[in-house]
Amino acid sequence: MSRITEAHLRAIYDSRGNPTVEARLATDAGVVAAAGAPSGASTSTHEVVAFPTGGVPAALAVFERSVRAKIVGASVDDQAAIDRALHEVDGTPDFSRIGGNTATAVSVATAIASAFERKVPLWKRLLRPGLVGPRFPAICGNCLNGGKHAWGGPDIQEFIAYSTAPDPADSIRAALEVHHRLGAKLHARFPTIALGRGDEGGWVAPLGNVEALELLVATCAEVRDALHLPVHPGIDLAATEFFRDGQYVYKEQTLSPEGQLGFVTSLVDRYELKFVEDPFEDNDYDHVAAFTRAVGGKVTVVGDDLYATSLARVREGVERRATNAALIKVNQVGTLTDTLATVDYVRAQGLANVSSHRSGEVPDAWLAHLAVAFGSLGLKCGLLGGERVAKLNELLRIGAPAGS
Ligand code: 2PG
Ligand code: MG
């Protein structure tokens, strides 16, 4: 049983060019492991605080002052003990003293170090009960960006190619094909406008919500025909972001919660959406439950901001039959142990889980291992940009290890 001999935290940059933290651990078996923590833009009100007051410099200072001493000497195999130590040294319910991103980086680096020592890939180290080998997630590839991830785009945050072929090489290829063809269509439609890409690598164009959806739907249909692979339209509304004074305020319309229920249900019926995330603000279990009653038989209804990966919130969601899937993001809760508790509960209750990136990502690949280890129905990771491609490429490596 080897122990952590060195623990360091450094400032690095995320894909938005904002500072975040990376943890680096060394063990007395000579292993060195590092992990960086990503950051969200459309954060849930229920997730832990990414950095203490004062940001990354304050996170580094509190690490030096109090966290390192708790970590050095601990067994690298005892994930639960290290995560408990992080909670103890923090002492708040939301990691606001040491920062949820510090906890995430240390927690994930611990698991990576332990996997190295056991000479197994990270996904095997974290494989959940009931799973025997790798089962690959669908790719939930964000092709068009809106909301908080794009300037000048639709209000709906993400227009997703939900690519469900069982072989990761096929699912990645189909999702990328949607992204490429969508780009070509946008260039043809706006020949004189400079198009951009948003925080998650999806296109940004001056489109209304329904217009954007129509483009996505048509492109998915084209790619299904061309490649003979299953790829379907999906959306993450991140509806909290445009919920004001009890109403959903789009550029084109303002809807009451009842109106929103009718609108999103009509989008599902009309466009055959197969994946819908956060159609209501992040406290509204009742309307999302009504939505799931209406479409849950044919649609993956995902709670992200609604649950914030919190076991207590997912429990409430299960009791109220709110969704049939939960999004999983380690830095919404801060440690792998908390994440695993939520994943195991979700799995035991027969809900699907979807492992997810954040909009401000680091170029690490560990998320791909988590998606496989958790038996995730989907891996939400974006399609373009080195920090997104790093996860896709890692999934390919897991799917076809060198020499196989
Ligand atoms: C989401 C995420 C990732 P953010 O809402 O699902 O796509 O966005 O990281 O900004 O919270
Ligand atoms: Mg979301």
Side-chain angles (χ1 to χ4, degrees), residues 314-383:
V314 176
R315 261 186 215 286
E316 183 159 1
V318 165
E319 276 157 26
R320 297 165 75 159
R321 297 176 188 274
T323 68
N324 56 26
L327 206 76
I328 302 295
K329 294 167 169 168
V330 180
N331 83 325
Q332 283 183 324
V333 281
T335 71
L336 268 178
T337 301
D338 291 289
T339 305
L340 298 179
T342 302
V343 167
D344 289 347
Y345 176 76
V346 163
R347 288 175 51 77
Q349 295 299 319
L351 266 68
N353 72 80
V354 175
S355 292
S356 173
H357 65 169
R358 302 305 307 247
S359 49
E361 260 299 334
V362 289
D364 294 23
W366 50 261
L367 179 66
H369 288 263
L370 267 50
V372 173
F374 299 170
S376 295
L377 177 70
L379 169 60
K380 225 182 113 170
C381 69
L383 295 166

Side-chain angles (χ1 to χ4, degrees), residues 157-158 236 277-278 304-305 327 329 380:
Q157 182 178 280
E158 299 171 28
D236 176 5
E277 181 177 325
D278 282 345
D304 168 20
D305 295 340
L327 206 76
K329 294 167 169 168
K380 225 182 113 170

Side-chain angles (χ1 to χ4, degrees), residues 101-160:
N101 273 26
T102 294
T104 297
V106 169
S107 187
V108 175
T110 300
I112 293 172
S114 170
F116 271 142
E117 290 212 344
R118 293 169 184 227
K119 299 190 172 45
V120 297
L122 181 61
W123 69 263
K124 270 196 184 154
R125 168 77 181 102
L126 297 175
L127 195 65
R128 303 328 297 147
L131 293 169
V132 278
R135 218 189 50 211
F136 292 96
I139 298 300
C140 309
N142 190 353
C143 292
L144 252 170
N145 290 183
K148 273 215 166 160
H149 297 167
W151 290 338
D155 311 291
I156 293 177
Q157 182 178 280
E158 299 171 28
F159 295 82
I160 292 168

